[in-house]
Amino acid sequence: MKVAFLGLGDIGALMASHLARDPFDLVVWNRTASKAEAFAREHRAQVAATPAEAVKDAQVVITCLPSSVEVEAVLHGENGMLDSLRKGTVLIDCTSGDPPTSRSIAAELSGRGIDFIDAPVSGGTTAAKAGTLTVMWGGEQSVFERVRPVVEAFGKKIVHAGAVGSGDALKAVNNALLAVHILSAAEGLAVLVKAGVHPNVALEVINASSGRSNSSENLIPQRVLTRAFPRTFRLALLEKDIGIAAVLAEDLDAKAPLISLTAKRFHEARELLGEKADHVEAVKMVEQENGVEIK
Ligand code: NDP
């Protein structure tokens, strides 16, 4: 099966590595060509010079880009995919995208006989490496069945969220909860440090109690207390995700003040910490504001 993979970033490269073997015949494209070349030195893959070249013979195309804006650009921009996609091809967009753009791309492609599913992933770089990502997809079941082996190559828990755009919506809300949990755990621990409680003691109790979350159980012990802050998922991308969730709530007239406040706080964190910071570094903003370190 001929597969094209566009976007070899922190998670994209790990996902693509599972497709660099039989029964797949993989072509990769990345904006920064050196990353695609490095990938092809380590894996069985051809490098394409442009998105158009990458997709011209592909039966399945996967995009894994920062946001739907870049997916649009790779579709419509110079040397973009649009005119090279073959009729009958399925575009699987693994970007954590936004539902309205995914719906509009799906509608445009449908007029050309090309199918689209939004299929964002969760589980981070650890699950991407292991090929055990959770995949939440939106679109038609019959389309999905044609690409199931491709998705199963990197996904373990694979869930149909609904119509096109539903995968994006579910992903944005999941990540909104992640953002809320990171900041709420950081605020709580900053308060406790000020109250004279050591963070190790605080987490021992919280993680045996109802205040626990993935942030308190894993992210803070492994990345904050150690001051390691490895970059696995950029803060800028989480800010984008919670922004999508806030707009989704607004568009649906849903009352979601915690999501909209956390979106504002992540915007502040992105301004403070920059484009390269990891998402967990948002804790540093709370630390600075409170004049404490959680360690
Ligand atoms: P990165 O920021 O590491 O990589 C982004 C990729 O997109 C790179 O290949 C980059 O190319 C490319 N890119 C950026 N801008 C453009 C552009 N204008 N045109 C073409 N290509 C572009 O992101 P991740 O790999 O971490 O994330 C990809 C998607 O997966 C995002 O939507 C993210 O939210 C989602 N995701 C990420 C997770 C993670 O743990 N990292 C977990 C779950 C979902 P270049 O190399 O040239 O910069």
Side-chain angles (χ1 to χ4, degrees), residues 8-11 30-32 35 65-66 96 121 232 234 240:
L8 301 171
D10 288 341
I11 202 157
N30 193 66
R31 179 182 62 174
T32 304
K35 281 196 205 166
L65 300 168
S96 303
V121 299
T232 59
R234 291 189 301 118
K240 172 257 315 178

Side-chain angles (χ1 to χ4, degrees), residues 176-238:
L177 299 183
L178 166 66
V180 169
H181 293 162
I182 289 172
L183 285 187
S184 59
E187 287 183 11
L189 289 169
V191 170
L192 286 171
V193 170
K194 283 185 168 231
V197 180
H198 194 281
N200 286 340
V201 173
L203 287 171
E204 191 184 344
V205 172
I206 289 167
N207 288 336
S209 309
S210 46
R212 68 186 185 276
S213 62
N214 182 53
S215 297
S216 69
E217 289 184 314
N218 294 307
L219 298 179
I220 292 183
Q222 291 161 18
R223 300 172 178 219
V224 177
L225 298 188
T226 58
R227 311 313 284 172
F229 294 106
R231 197 190 92 188
T232 59
F233 175 44
R234 291 189 301 118
L235 190 153
L237 294 173
L238 185 54

Side-chain angles (χ1 to χ4, degrees), residues 6-15 29-36 51 63-71 73-74 93-97 120-126 128 133-134 136 171 175 223 231-234 236-238 240-241 275 278-279:
L6 291 82
L8 301 171
D10 288 341
I11 202 157
L14 296 170
M15 292 165 66
W29 174 82
N30 193 66
R31 179 182 62 174
T32 304
S34 57
K35 281 196 205 166
T63 40
C64 190
L65 300 168
S67 73
S68 297
V69 172
E70 290 80 19
V71 180
V74 163
D93 184 19
C94 290
T95 305
S96 303
V121 299
S122 66
T125 49
T126 307
L133 286 164
T134 295
M136 53 218 90
K171 174 68 189 176
N175 278 21
R223 300 172 178 219
R231 197 190 92 188
T232 59
F233 175 44
R234 291 189 301 118
L237 294 173
L238 185 54
K240 172 257 315 178
D241 291 334
E275 294 302 301
D278 183 69
H279 64 305

Side-chain angles (χ1 to χ4, degrees), residues 253-275:
D253 255 339
K255 199 165 162 54
L258 273 184
I259 289 178
S260 82
L261 175 60
T262 309
K264 283 197 195 89
R265 295 285 284 151
F266 264 83
H267 185 70
E268 289 166 15
R270 183 174 178 172
E271 299 219 306
L272 179 73
L273 297 157
E275 294 302 301

Side-chain angles (χ1 to χ4, degrees), residues 30-64:
N30 193 66
R31 179 182 62 174
T32 304
S34 57
K35 281 196 205 166
E37 284 149 15
F39 182 91
R41 277 195 293 277
E42 285 180 24
H43 301 94
R44 200 188 74 185
Q46 300 293 311
V47 176
T50 63
E53 186 190 316
V55 305
K56 68 179 177 6
D57 297 318
Q59 295 156 285
V60 181
V61 174
I62 301 178
T63 40
C64 190

Side-chain angles (χ1 to χ4, degrees), residues 272-293:
L272 179 73
L273 297 157
E275 294 302 301
K276 293 199 170 143
D278 183 69
H279 64 305
V280 180
E281 291 185 68
V283 171
K284 291 180 180 170
M285 175 178 77
V286 177
E287 290 180 325
Q288 279 182 26
E289 289 167 346
N290 287 288
V292 297
E293 270 196 353

